[in-house]
């Protein structure tokens, strides 16, 4: 049976930075074969993995992203495709091991509540206010996720600024919590943030996560893991200012960690 899903609908089949075990558990819970998802490869940056429920197992097929005459191509096995949707369309009617692709796995709707205001500095950022409820679309990076607000706008949000809504809590309860009711996790985060805000500047910080800014934003710093930034200004919106490789600019505070004074040298 060939799948009838829309292979162009990326939101339906792309699950972002989902891990291998999480993808396996999700697909093993499906009752039929041919259910699939596409996730980022954890071991090869820039590559993807096609995960498929086949019989009583889940198969993980690596999709290598290659360049050919300045054009991206996607390789799975011995086959090359111009796009991932083209790849999925092919395997609607061709078998992988024991099945073609039938339909994408159902996504678990995950919502978060904002603990702080966030004013985005880049065009891809999604600004929000404390207490806003957001729906998570993709977990692109460890500290930055793609979310949608109640007005349907989407963009990147800093993970430390939000709190997951557990099924046992209602959005109303969490909005109250984010508005000032006692919550141990938020109090700990507040304390850590206050400590950072009170840090004597300038101070050195080490980059712990790569950040490639928008090509049109000349105020943002490009970050590579291990870079040492001289932090010169801390802003409450999470976009700090510093100096790196002779350039002054802004960067997300979630991408760095201060060096201990005795280790700064």
């Amino acid at each position: 049976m060939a799948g009838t899903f829309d292979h162009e609908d990326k939101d339906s089949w792309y699950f972002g930075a989902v891990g291998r075990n999480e993808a396996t558990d999700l697909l093993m819970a499906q009752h039929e074969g041919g259910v699939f998802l596409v996730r980022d490869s954890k071991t090869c940056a820039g590559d993807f993995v096609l995960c498929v429920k086949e019989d009583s197992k889940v198969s993980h097929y690596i999709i290598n992203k290659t360049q050919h005459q300045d054009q991206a191509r996607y390789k799975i096995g011995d086959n090359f495709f111009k796009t991932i949707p083209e790849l999925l369309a092919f395997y609607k009617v061709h078998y992988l091991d024991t099945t073609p692709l039938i339909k994408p796995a159902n996504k678990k709707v995950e919502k978060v509540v904002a603990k702080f205001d966030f004013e985005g500095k880049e065009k891809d950022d999604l600004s929000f206010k404390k207490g806003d409820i957001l729906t998570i679309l993709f977990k692109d990076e460890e500290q930055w996720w793609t979310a949608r607000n109640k007005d349907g706008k989407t963009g990147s949000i800093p993970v430390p600024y939000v709190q997951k809504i557990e099924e046992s809590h209602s959005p109303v309860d969490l909005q109250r919590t984010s508005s000032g009711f006692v919550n141990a996790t938020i109090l700990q985060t507040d304390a850590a943030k206050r400590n950072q805000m009170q840090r004597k500047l300038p101070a050195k910080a080490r980059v712990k996560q790569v950040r490639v800014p928008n090509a049109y934003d000349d105020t943002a710093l490009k970050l590579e893991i291990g870079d040492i930034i001289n932090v010169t200004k801390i802003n409450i919106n999470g976009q700090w200012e510093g100096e790196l490789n002779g350039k002054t600019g802004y960067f997300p505070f979630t991408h760095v960690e201060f060096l201990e004074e005795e280790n700064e040298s």
Side-chain angles (χ1 to χ4, degrees):
M1 175 183 173
T4 57
F5 63 91
D6 181 2
H7 54 269
E8 296 286 353
D9 183 9
K10 180 180 177 180
D11 286 350
S12 69
W13 47 258
Y14 177 59
F15 280 59
V18 171
R20 181 187 180 95
N21 291 339
E22 185 178 350
T24 298
D25 291 343
L26 191 156
L27 291 171
M28 284 301 293
Q30 305 297 315
H31 297 297
E32 58 186 314
V35 181
F36 74 96
L37 62 87
V38 176
R39 62 180 175 87
D40 297 332
S41 171
K42 291 282 189 179
T43 55
C44 300
D47 288 350
F48 301 90
V49 182
L50 173 61
C51 309
V52 188
K53 172 73 177 296
E54 298 191 86
D55 295 332
S56 59
K57 67 176 183 178
V58 172
S59 299
H60 300 264
Y61 298 96
I62 188 71
I63 301 174
N64 297 120
K65 184 178 180 181
T66 63
Q67 291 293 128
H68 180 70
Q69 297 180 349
D70 297 327
Q71 288 189 336
R73 295 203 304 173
Y74 299 88
K75 179 178 182 289
I76 181 170
D78 295 326
N79 296 321
F80 288 86
F81 302 90
K82 293 180 180 179
T83 65
I84 292 183
E86 182 181 287
L87 181 155
L88 300 179
F90 178 84
Y91 284 108
K92 276 185 181 181
V93 294
H94 294 82
Y95 276 61
L96 289 149
D97 183 6
T98 63
T99 179
L101 301 178
I102 303 301
K103 67 177 183 179
N106 293 326
K107 284 188 175 181
K108 179 181 178 182
V109 177
E110 185 174 344
K111 293 183 180 292
V112 296
V113 60
K115 298 187 292 186
F116 314 107
D117 291 351
F118 172 67
E119 187 65 35
K121 291 291 185 181
E122 300 184 23
K123 71 171 187 177
D124 293 332
D125 290 340
L126 177 65
S127 300
F128 52 78
K129 296 295 184 182
K130 182 177 179 179
D132 284 354
I133 303 296
L134 307 171
T135 301
I136 302 302
L137 301 180
F138 309 122
K139 295 183 178 180
D140 314 82
E141 305 174 22
E142 182 179 349
Q143 299 293 333
W144 287 87
W145 293 347
T146 300
R148 180 175 59 237
N149 64 17
K150 61 181 178 60
D151 298 321
K153 295 181 180 178
T154 63
S156 296
I157 63 170
V159 176
Y161 275 52
V162 299
Q163 177 185 1
K164 291 182 181 179
I165 297 179
E166 303 295 340
E167 293 181 359
S168 58
H169 296 94
S170 72
V172 173
D173 291 337
L174 283 165
Q175 282 181 314
R176 289 172 179 168
T177 299
S178 67
S179 298
F181 280 65
V182 176
N183 179 281
T185 302
I186 291 180
L187 289 177
Q188 290 171 359
T189 305
D190 285 343
K193 194 173 181 181
R194 283 197 299 272
N195 289 337
Q196 290 177 329
M197 297 295 289
Q198 294 168 0
R199 184 85 178 205
K200 184 179 179 180
L201 299 179
K204 290 184 173 60
R206 179 181 289 108
V207 175
K208 61 181 181 178
Q209 186 174 338
V210 173
R211 179 68 164 174
V212 180
N214 185 288
Y216 300 101
D217 186 359
D218 57 5
T219 66
L221 292 177
K222 180 180 179 181
L223 308 180
E224 297 288 346
I225 294 175
D227 285 347
I228 303 299
I229 293 182
N230 192 35
V231 181
T232 56
K233 186 176 181 181
I234 292 176
N235 298 312
I236 197 168
N237 68 358
Q239 293 291 326
W240 292 359
E241 187 173 347
E243 299 172 358
L244 175 62
N245 298 326
K247 179 180 178 180
T248 298
Y250 293 93
F251 59 93
F253 85 97
T254 53
H255 285 49
V256 303
E257 56 187 0
F258 279 119
L259 296 175
E260 297 297 330
E261 293 182 3
E262 63 269 21
N263 295 330
E264 287 186 358
S265 59

